[in-house]
Each structure stands twice: as structure tokens, then as C-alpha cells.
Amino acid sequence: MGKKIFVSYKYGDTQVQDLNIYELNWLGQNVKVPTKARHYVNELTKILDNEDHIYKGEDDGQSLADFSDEFIASALRDKIYDSSITIVLVSKGMKTYNAERNQWMPWEISYSLKEYTRNSRTSLSNGILAVVLPDEWGSYEYYITQDSVCNCTSYNTTVLFQILKDNMFNVKEPNRRLCNGSWIYSGDSSYIQSVKWDEFKTIPNYYLNKAIELRDKKEQYNITKSVK
């Protein structure tokens, strides 16, 4: 059975690998356009099964500085309420210098994690999966690198929104070891797991099912649901 999926992404981020996109201009000419994160959403809809449903994110550049928390909540509840998974497209330029409370993506993640009741039915928290897009050089190293000394994968969480960082490496009973002064985690240490775009599109259902598996044992994690 298909899963209803909400997608959180930075619409206009162009710091992503070129997908060789052509669009018609006002003269009817087919011209090459800069690839944006939004174009990866188009690719995502092709990857997922026909039964799956994609919820679009907000318009690029729309600040929330002048909106109340109640307005934001109302805008997001309808979109997220009956979805079971949120895919966060992590891209190098997704964060701006504005306060995180004034950007859509942190709020979308927050409301994906919350439970709320409508018509006597309470929604579950969504499973959340961070799908990492390659940057303009085709590299993932702005976020994911391999540490040959400690034989592990390292994540540069400074590029993430705080609510994403807070829900990674947050298992209550971690399986971990020390290496060069840092903790190295094993197993399902994060409620929100990260996967490279190239790996996700090869076996998407594996990662979607993993997100649901972690949601169903969320009591094992210290979940942060609020935007700071």
C-alpha cells in the first residue's frame, strides 16, 4: 500500500548538482535553466510508486517573520495531517541567515513530529528521512564524509537546522565507542536518518520503510518537536 509523503525542501536552492533541465521561455524556445532543489522534487515523484502522494513545500523566499505561530500551524496542519512520512531534502544552501523560526523548513519538520487531533482522530508523528542532495560539484562532502581513521561515516550537522540536529544521535540507550575524542555511534542511533540521494533512488522503499520502523519505536528516542 502506498504511503502519503510530505516533502520539505528549499525551493530555490541552486547549490545542487545540475540535472540538465530545459524549460520553455516566453518565446516558446527550449532553454537550459539552473537546477533548483525543486527539480529534485520532480525527480522524486518519478521514483516513488504511483500510489504515493507528494505534498509540496512552501514558496521560496517567503519569510515567516510577520506571521503568528497560530497562522503557521494552520498552514501546515492540512498538508501534514494525513501523511505518514516526511522527506527532508537536505541541500547545501537550504539555510538562510534569517532566524530559523522565520523559515518554513524547521516548522514543517516540527509539525511532522507533532501529534494533534481532528474529528476525534489523533495523528501519529511522521517518520522522517533526510535525503541529502549532491552539491553543485556533485559532492556530498559538505555534509557526509568518510573517516578512515575511525572507520565510520561523519556528518557535518552544522549545515542542518537545529530541529534536525536535535533528532539525530538521540537514541536513549546508544551503542557507541570513543575514537579520537569523539563518540562513534552504531545501529539506529538517530530518529532522523540521513541517506545520499544516489543511494535513496536505488532502493527508496527500504529507506521509507526504515522511517516507519523508527516512528513505531519512537519511545526509544529523545524527540525534539519545537522550533528554537
Side-chain angles (χ1 to χ4, degrees), residues 62 64-65 75 81 103 117 120 144 149-150 169 196 203 215:
Q62 184 178 12
L64 301 182
Y81 178 75
Q103 300 179 59
T117 301
S120 300
I144 300 176
V149 175
C150 294
F169 306 105
K196 295 178 182 178
I203 46 173
R215 181 200 67 179

Side-chain angles (χ1 to χ4, degrees), residues 80-210:
I80 298 174
Y81 178 75
D82 66 345
S83 61
S84 59
I85 297 175
T86 294
I87 291 178
V88 180
L89 293 183
V90 174
S91 54
K92 189 162 72 173
M94 68 179 182
K95 287 175 60 177
T96 70
Y97 291 108
N98 295 326
E100 292 192 11
R101 292 184 62 85
N102 296 336
Q103 300 179 59
W104 276 108
M105 289 183 68
W107 285 102
E108 290 168 344
I109 297 162
S110 172
Y111 275 90
S112 295
L113 289 165
K114 291 180 178 179
E115 299 175 350
Y116 41 93
T117 301
R118 175 184 295 174
N119 297 325
S120 300
R121 176 180 176 269
T122 300
S123 67
L124 297 174
S125 299
N126 277 13
I128 300 185
L129 178 66
V131 177
V132 185
L133 303 183
D135 68 11
E136 63 269 45
W137 311 109
S139 173
Y140 296 96
E141 292 192 355
Y142 68 94
Y143 175 51
I144 300 176
T145 56
Q146 299 302 315
D147 185 333
S148 59
V149 175
C150 294
N151 191 28
C152 68
T153 301
S154 296
Y155 300 91
N156 176 24
T157 58
T158 61
V159 306
L160 302 177
F161 294 107
Q162 188 64 44
I163 194 169
L164 279 175
K165 289 192 284 187
D166 288 345
N167 288 293
M168 295 179 178
F169 306 105
N170 61 332
V171 67
K172 293 178 180 177
E173 297 182 6
N175 179 9
R176 61 187 183 178
R177 60 184 170 88
L178 273 173
C179 181
N180 283 348
S182 298
W183 287 113
I184 308 301
Y185 290 78
S186 300
D188 293 330
S189 58
S190 300
Y191 182 76
I192 300 178
Q193 298 199 345
S194 301
V195 58
K196 295 178 182 178
W197 168 258
D198 288 333
E199 295 173 359
F200 171 79
K201 67 181 184 179
T202 302
I203 46 173
N205 287 329
Y206 169 81
Y207 293 105
L208 296 175
N209 289 336
K210 172 59 75 171

